[in-house]
Amino acid sequence: MQIRGPHQLKRKHKNQRRKDPEATPYINHPIGVGRILSYEGGITDIEVLQAALLHDTVEDTDTSIAELEAVFGQTVARIVQEVTDDKTLPKQERKRQQVEHAPHCSHQAKLVKLADKLYNLRDLNRCTPTGWTEERVQEYFVWAAQVVRGLRGTNQTLEIKLQQLFKQRGVEM
Ligand SMILES: Nc1nc2c(ncn2[C@@H]2O[C@H](COP(=O)(O)OP(=O)(O)O)[C@@H](OP(=O)(O)OP(=O)(O)O)[C@H]2O)c(=O)[nH]1
Ligand SMILES: [Mn+2]
């Protein structure tokens, strides 16, 4: 599938659903990440906001970095690249790499990562994904705290909100 313009980006996640019991449309997540950055984080950097909307397209759809670069430019493509997991790696290794790479990401990519984690942790508080145990939810919080630790000093408002969520779960950041 080809992106012919930014207005068609939601088609990329068209057939994808969240893992919540209602199987809500996946596009709610990237839009929510953009909202967090804009309304809560006070971010006005248009490339960060574009990258937020696109952040899971390469990981989860048939979109390539080259395609993003052609439509949205080098910077947006680079940010998305930075927040994209290598899905050919085993899950445990992917998760380990996120912790390891977080401190070395660009400021713009760190912003997207902070908002992504904030959205997903709030989503876990809202409802448990299908098939997840309480233990798996708690493990996600513990892992996310390790990633967020490497993103400190990026956006105070978002980091305080994340810190509160970890504290509620008794997790050290
Ligand atoms: N909390 C929650 N997450 C859901 C839901 N539906 C889909 N997800 C996605 O699942 C991912 C977290 O689940 P995991 O099992 O840890 O990861 P995996 O999908 O990469 O295997 C997140 O991916 P991601 O955004 O790429 O972020 P990351 O966790 O890889 O950093 C999140 O967006 C849902 O209903 N609730
Ligand atoms: Mn995401």
Side-chain angles (χ1 to χ4, degrees):
M1 197 197 289
Q2 263 199 323
I3 294 183
R4 291 187 201 81
H7 60 288
Q8 290 193 332
L9 92 92
K10 70 169 189 282
R11 296 193 181 178
K12 289 294 194 175
H13 291 292
K14 188 177 61 176
N15 298 315
Q16 198 186 350
R17 294 289 176 274
R18 295 288 285 174
K19 299 168 186 164
D20 58 334
E22 294 82 33
T24 49
Y26 196 86
I27 191 66
N28 292 352
H29 166 62
I31 291 172
V33 172
R35 290 177 71 105
I36 287 171
L37 285 166
S38 173
Y39 298 154
E40 302 184 55
I43 302 306
T44 56
D45 180 342
I46 193 67
E47 287 164 331
V48 170
L49 299 176
Q50 285 179 302
L53 294 174
L54 295 160
H55 82 272
D56 277 328
T57 55
V58 174
E59 202 171 288
D60 297 336
T61 78
D62 63 0
T63 310
S64 67
I65 289 293
E67 189 181 349
L68 292 184
E69 190 173 329
V71 182
F72 299 96
Q74 245 176 33
T75 304
V76 171
R78 191 255 305 146
I79 300 168
V80 175
Q81 174 84 279
E82 286 185 86
V83 304
T84 298
D85 282 0
D86 180 352
K87 285 256 178 148
T88 67
L89 295 174
K91 179 161 177 159
Q92 208 190 337
E93 174 61 12
R94 265 194 283 134
K95 297 284 169 186
R96 197 191 61 74
Q97 287 201 359
Q98 276 209 39
V99 176
E100 191 180 295
H101 294 160
H104 310 293
C105 285
S106 67
H107 178 75
Q108 289 173 311
K110 283 178 177 173
L111 284 168
V112 175
K113 289 181 75 68
L114 282 172
D116 189 25
K117 293 294 180 285
L118 185 52
Y119 184 103
N120 285 333
L121 295 172
R122 284 175 175 168
D123 217 14
L124 286 177
N125 283 341
R126 183 179 67 84
C127 63
T128 306
T130 307
W132 285 38
T133 59
E134 246 337 285
E135 189 187 21
R136 180 162 171 192
V137 171
Q138 183 71 13
E139 277 168 13
Y140 188 91
F141 272 82
V142 171
W143 166 75
Q146 287 180 267
V147 178
V148 171
R149 194 175 302 138
L151 303 169
R152 281 181 303 193
T154 303
N155 182 282
Q156 205 187 12
T157 309
L158 300 185
E159 287 163 50
I160 288 169
K161 290 178 182 204
L162 281 157
Q163 175 71 65
Q164 282 168 351
L165 293 181
F166 293 131
K167 207 174 161 194
Q168 281 170 14
R169 293 266 173 177
V171 172
E172 275 294 317
M173 195 177 104

